[in-house]
Amino acid sequence: MDKLQAGYLFPEIARRRSAHMLKYPEAQVISLGIGDTTEPIPEVITSGMAKKAHALSTLEGYSGYGAEQGEKQLRAAIASTYYGDLSIEESDIFVSDGAKSDISRLQVMFGSNVTMAVQEPSYPAYVDSSVILGQTGQFQKDVEKYGNIEYMKCNPENGFFPDLSTVSRTDIIFFCSPNNPTGNAATREQLTRLVQFAKDNGSILVYDSAYAMYISDDSPRSIFEIPGAKEVAIEVSSFSKYAGSTGLALGWTAVPKELLYSDGFPVAKDFNRIVCTTFNVASNISQAGGLACLSPEGLEAMHKVVGVYKENANIIMEAFTSLGFSVYGGKNAPYVWVHFPGQSSWDVFSEILEKTHVVTTPGSGFGPAGDGFIRVSAFGHRGTVLEACKRFKQLYK
Amino acid sequence: MDKLQAGYLFPEIARRRSAHMLKYPEAQVISLGIGDTTEPIPEVITSGMAKKAHALSTLEGYSGYGAEQGEKQLRAAIASTYYGDLSIEESDIFVSDGAKSDISRLQVMFGSNVTMAVQEPSYPAYVDSSVILGQTGQFQKDVEKYGNIEYMKCNPENGFFPDLSTVSRTDIIFFCSPNNPTGNAATREQLTRLVQFAKDNGSILVYDSAYAMYISDDSPRSIFEIPGAKEVAIEVSSFSKYAGSTGLALGWTAVPKELLYSDGFPVAKDFNRIVCTTFNVASNISQAGGLACLSPEGLEAMHKVVGVYKENANIIMEAFTSLGFSVYGGKNAPYVWVHFPGQSSWDVFSEILEKTHVVTTPGSGFGPAGDGFIRVSAFGHRGTVLEACKRFKQLYK
């Protein structure tokens, strides 16, 4: 624990936001910082949950502990909806309380004696959970990196996909696509190379697809679209970014039975044991919500919500592009990654906050390769996103 | 992971139950095994949740991510309801998805280089999460124990409280009271000795009070009733056994700010970082349910539900007592601990299942000191509990 640097990124941003609001109590602060959904949960989903809640107060509708792995019906619906043609089955799906918790449970399963690779920049939870479990070396102040982690640089020069010929072999590879924070989705050809790389090295690929529903082009929505991926990959995903985060606190992890350790032991058996030992079960009201999400009406409603955020992303991209900035992401993800060459991310963050009262996220919070960038989140009501863009245009005109 | 023995206890029981049902498809199987609640969740609580679910589909009622530590209002209500006179404050309370998950998060915080003590018999999650994190030595087949764990034997001879003069110093002490599986609640005098023991040894006491609401006598309901406990103890608790388990998936951990590592660093700061890094937040619908639980009507309703289970426990105690068995627990907990001297727990379990179609829990599943006992859970509808007792009386008459 002592090795961990500073605060976790988002609490730090919340702290600065609060300080700003104290300084400018009259300001209309807009938050495009933390990736938090803002649109109401579609009624078809909340009704499903309310109905389940009411049922729990009746003798016939009551149920106690369900299976730790999640309710059979929900596991089956996830498998058929997201992996219908990919031979991922109900028994490969572990329902959970969310992707962040599952990443930590996977780290606990891998233990402290593994090496890991991670995209840089990346969502802080991969590295921080690794540090907490003692997988890493000390933090090296000069390069702002931890020892014993292989950082795979992703930047405009390499199209946000690492040059695998320079990446050392590790036991575990974390890969997030569409990416948080860069908003970039890896192509089929890139993911095919990544799967081959993992196979050649005997690595386990942990693929975070929490933003898959935001993909607009023909990038794969699941790593299991890549032939051979089932022998090397675990996929972590979530309902959070589709149907409102904390109302559900619901995600899942797919561990194919084809994925084996080098001694032939199935990884899914280990993960099952981890889930049974360190986790109870996702709230069954949330699971009812998940099931409602996957009904035809629920899917349509989720697509509508996602559509709102995607249009927001477009508006933000256009605003920064019209101001002459180089802008990345946004097309396949709810995040826009704006380049401020030569500037420090925290300086840009502070200037935007001070002059426009808009909270963004400094790119360097996702690792030093993110410095010079800010992440602008498309999660916001349309009106506030338009207002934020108006203020950006005033600041940078 | 390789060190872990056999399956986690409860999935193993579920497996045997399923096999039994295949063998006797006509049998009316009664489950008094896994400690799973059966009574409907009081309407005041489910209404609170349904209302929150509906609110989430409106613009005004929607909220995204809340604080990782839980909603302010719920933290305050937990502090004032359960720790009103004990100077445990809102900021000491971390709301979570349940006690089992929190135990695992605490283990992650402690890391692999600590020593731990645990009651024997005990709830398997303490030891199993410790094994997974690499705190323990190998499993020693002859004594059926892991190396590097201090087992504190609790049996009828010592009144289910360990002889502390024979217990070696460890960094962490797990202690569950009212106890699962023995059903015994430690007295004020015993807990005063335990707190002193932890203080003398510089140990952190992790106190699991998930069954506190079942206490009938004047045993402490919280470790913080013991003077000085705030400097040595963390308390883990849950709504599960009061208001229906998986509907809520809601618990909490109290980490007093007075609890410091030997270098003076507050343990609560470390736990806060763990929670922010490895956990998102409990479902906000569940948190609304928690808040409803703590309203005057909710508290009354929970006491009624607990009352039903306590009367079940009485019925089970009386049945076994009338058959001449030595019976423990039951008075302050929903578990009755029945002694079958000289017999193997799994043999007794199998005989009861085979001859009465009642699922119990073999005491040896909680550690070798539990052998010769079975745990009978009081979680069941009154009718099935009465029927089970009738069958016990036929079997052992």
Side-chain angles (χ1 to χ4, degrees):
Chain A
M1 291 284 303
D2 289 345
K3 290 182 203 155
L4 268 178
Q5 295 303 306
Y8 188 75
L9 176 62
F10 298 110
E12 173 64 19
I13 292 173
R15 204 187 55 71
R16 294 198 183 210
R17 177 198 162 137
S18 300
H20 183 78
M21 288 168 87
L22 274 179
K23 189 172 163 193
Y24 299 103
E26 305 291 311
Q28 290 247 300
V29 174
I30 294 176
S31 181
L32 302 179
I34 179 169
D36 193 8
T37 50
T38 56
E39 299 308 296
I41 302 180
E43 210 268 332
V44 51
I45 299 164
T46 56
S47 290
M49 293 194 281
K51 213 172 129 193
K52 179 72 184 182
H54 283 307
L56 288 173
S57 67
T58 65
L59 257 183
E60 317 74 55
Y62 183 78
S63 58
Y65 285 125
E68 283 92 344
Q69 303 84 355
E71 282 164 29
K72 207 174 151 65
Q73 216 186 335
L74 178 59
R75 297 172 82 187
I78 291 171
S80 67
T81 305
Y82 294 112
Y83 308 102
D85 309 326
L86 306 173
S87 328
I88 294 286
E89 292 160 8
E90 174 201 318
S91 56
D92 300 327
I93 305 292
F94 295 81
V95 174
S96 77
D97 64 329
K100 197 159 95 177
S101 304
D102 266 345
I103 289 163
S104 163
R105 280 186 281 267
L106 286 168
Q107 293 280 30
V108 168
M109 178 175 80
F110 297 138
S112 55
N113 294 319
V114 298
T115 52
M116 65 167 271
V118 68
Q119 287 156 290
E120 199 223 331
S122 77
Y123 178 53
Y126 312 123
V127 169
D128 285 359
S129 58
S130 171
V131 173
I132 287 172
L133 278 162
Q135 295 169 353
T136 69
Q138 291 295 331
F139 188 73
Q140 297 153 349
K141 276 236 156 87
D142 48 341
V143 290
E144 292 184 49
K145 289 179 181 180
Y146 292 94
N148 210 28
I149 286 192
E150 181 71 18
Y151 290 90
M152 306 183 291
K153 203 164 274 192
C154 296
N155 53 31
E157 288 72 45
N158 61 22
F160 295 99
F161 188 80
D163 177 2
L164 294 174
S165 70
T166 66
V167 174
S168 300
R169 190 234 164 245
T170 58
D171 300 315
I172 314 294
I173 302 169
F174 282 94
F175 200 91
C176 175
S177 179
N179 188 261
N180 178 8
T182 70
N184 185 74
T187 65
R188 195 167 305 271
E189 185 272 330
Q190 288 170 334
L191 291 179
T192 303
R193 276 192 279 144
L194 183 64
V195 165
Q196 190 59 49
F197 178 77
K199 191 165 286 184
D200 292 345
N201 286 302
S203 309
I204 292 179
L205 176 61
V206 179
Y207 190 81
D208 183 341
S209 69
Y211 298 98
M213 216 194 248
Y214 288 84
I215 292 176
S216 299
D217 61 18
D218 63 351
S219 304
R221 278 150 178 79
S222 164
I223 191 66
F224 301 120
E225 292 184 31
I226 308 300
K230 281 203 284 286
E231 284 110 65
V232 296
I234 292 168
E235 185 160 295
V236 176
S237 201
S238 166
F239 285 99
S240 293
K241 309 299 176 178
Y242 308 149
S245 303
T246 56
L248 280 87
L250 193 69
W252 71 88
T253 288
V255 189
K257 51 183 91 24
E258 292 86 347
L259 180 65
L260 310 173
Y261 291 114
S262 54
D263 64 359
F265 191 81
V267 174
K269 279 202 173 177
D270 256 13
F271 192 63
N272 186 55
R273 183 71 196 247
I274 288 282
V275 165
C276 290
T277 306
T278 69
F279 175 62
N280 266 324
V281 70
S283 146
N284 55 16
I285 294 175
S286 296
Q287 294 194 63
L291 212 48
C293 285
L294 301 179
S295 68
E297 304 77 29
L299 285 169
E300 203 190 315
M302 283 201 292
H303 275 289
K304 258 192 209 154
V305 173
V306 166
V308 170
Y309 295 134
K310 284 177 77 162
E311 212 171 312
N312 287 349
N314 256 324
I315 292 167
I316 296 167
M317 284 164 71
E318 278 172 14
F320 280 102
T321 305
S322 75
L323 292 165
F325 289 94
S326 294
V327 173
Y328 306 94
K331 197 176 75 172
N332 292 322
Y335 298 122
V336 182
W337 188 240
V338 189
H339 203 179
F340 292 79
Q343 288 186 262
S344 128
S345 292
W346 278 110
D347 286 350
V348 176
F349 168 89
S350 299
E351 186 186 24
I352 292 177
L353 180 58
E354 186 68 29
K355 297 198 178 147
T356 71
H357 307 302
V358 178
V359 181
T360 59
T361 306
S364 58
F366 302 97
D371 203 20
F373 291 87
I374 56 158
R375 187 191 80 172
V376 186
S377 156
F379 294 122
H381 297 310
R382 180 61 42 82
T384 55
V385 169
L386 288 169
E387 170 64 23
C389 288
K390 207 173 96 187
R391 297 186 197 170
F392 294 148
K393 285 179 180 170
Q394 281 164 349
L395 175 63
Y396 292 116
K397 67 170 179 255
Chain B
M1 292 284 304
D2 290 346
K3 291 180 204 156
L4 271 177
Q5 295 304 307
Y8 187 75
L9 176 62
F10 298 109
E12 173 63 20
I13 292 173
R15 204 187 56 71
R16 294 199 183 207
R17 177 198 163 136
S18 300
H20 183 79
M21 287 168 87
L22 275 179
K23 190 172 162 192
Y24 299 102
E26 305 290 311
Q28 290 246 302
V29 173
I30 294 176
S31 181
L32 303 178
I34 179 168
D36 194 6
T37 51
T38 56
E39 298 309 296
I41 302 180
E43 210 269 333
V44 52
I45 300 165
T46 56
S47 289
M49 292 194 280
K51 212 173 130 191
K52 178 73 183 181
H54 283 308
L56 287 173
S57 67
T58 66
L59 257 183
E60 317 74 55
Y62 182 77
S63 58
Y65 284 126
E68 282 92 345
Q69 303 83 356
E71 283 165 31
K72 208 176 150 62
Q73 216 186 335
L74 178 58
R75 297 172 81 187
I78 291 171
S80 68
T81 307
Y82 293 113
Y83 309 103
D85 309 325
L86 306 173
S87 327
I88 294 286
E89 293 161 9
E90 174 201 318
S91 57
D92 300 327
I93 305 291
F94 295 81
V95 174
S96 77
D97 64 327
K100 197 160 94 176
S101 304
D102 266 345
I103 288 163
S104 165
R105 279 187 283 268
L106 286 168
Q107 294 279 29
V108 167
M109 178 175 81
F110 297 139
S112 54
N113 294 318
V114 297
T115 50
M116 65 168 271
V118 67
Q119 286 156 290
E120 199 223 329
S122 77
Y123 179 52
Y126 312 123
V127 169
D128 285 358
S129 59
S130 172
V131 173
I132 288 172
L133 278 161
Q135 296 168 353
T136 68
Q138 291 294 335
F139 188 74
Q140 296 154 349
K141 277 236 157 87
D142 47 341
V143 288
E144 292 183 53
K145 290 180 180 181
Y146 292 95
N148 210 28
I149 286 191
E150 181 70 20
Y151 291 89
M152 305 183 291
K153 202 162 273 191
C154 296
N155 53 31
E157 288 71 46
N158 61 22
F160 296 99
F161 188 80
D163 176 2
L164 295 173
S165 70
T166 66
V167 174
S168 300
R169 190 237 164 239
T170 57
D171 299 314
I172 315 294
I173 302 168
F174 282 94
F175 200 92
C176 175
S177 178
N179 189 261
N180 177 7
T182 69
N184 186 71
T187 65
R188 196 169 304 272
E189 185 273 330
Q190 288 170 333
L191 291 178
T192 303
R193 275 192 279 145
L194 182 66
V195 165
Q196 190 59 48
F197 179 76
K199 192 166 282 183
D200 291 345
N201 285 302
S203 310
I204 292 178
L205 174 62
V206 178
Y207 190 80
D208 184 340
S209 67
Y211 298 97
M213 215 194 248
Y214 288 85
I215 292 177
S216 299
D217 60 20
D218 63 351
S219 304
R221 279 148 179 78
S222 163
I223 190 66
F224 300 121
E225 292 183 31
I226 308 300
K230 281 203 283 287
E231 283 110 67
V232 296
I234 292 169
E235 184 160 298
V236 177
S237 200
S238 165
F239 286 99
S240 293
K241 308 300 176 180
Y242 308 150
S245 303
T246 56
L248 279 85
L250 193 69
W252 71 86
T253 288
V255 189
K257 48 184 94 21
E258 291 86 346
L259 180 65
L260 309 173
Y261 290 115
S262 54
D263 65 0
F265 191 82
V267 174
K269 280 202 172 178
D270 255 14
F271 191 63
N272 186 56
R273 183 70 196 247
I274 289 283
V275 165
C276 290
T277 305
T278 69
F279 175 61
N280 269 324
V281 69
S283 148
N284 54 15
I285 294 175
S286 296
Q287 294 195 61
L291 212 47
C293 285
L294 301 180
S295 68
E297 303 76 30
L299 285 168
E300 203 191 313
M302 283 200 293
H303 275 288
K304 254 190 212 156
V305 173
V306 166
V308 170
Y309 296 133
K310 284 176 77 162
E311 210 170 312
N312 286 349
N314 256 327
I315 293 166
I316 296 167
M317 284 164 71
E318 278 172 15
F320 280 102
T321 305
S322 75
L323 291 166
F325 289 94
S326 293
V327 172
Y328 305 95
K331 195 176 74 170
N332 292 320
Y335 298 122
V336 180
W337 189 240
V338 189
H339 203 179
F340 293 79
Q343 287 187 262
S344 129
S345 291
W346 278 111
D347 286 351
V348 177
F349 168 90
S350 299
E351 186 186 24
I352 292 177
L353 180 59
E354 186 69 29
K355 298 198 177 147
T356 70
H357 308 300
V358 178
V359 181
T360 59
T361 305
S364 59
F366 302 96
D371 204 21
F373 290 86
I374 57 156
R375 187 191 79 172
V376 185
S377 156
F379 294 121
H381 297 310
R382 180 61 43 83
T384 55
V385 169
L386 288 169
E387 170 64 23
C389 288
K390 205 173 98 188
R391 296 186 197 169
F392 294 147
K393 286 179 182 170
Q394 279 163 351
L395 175 61
Y396 292 116
K397 68 172 180 253

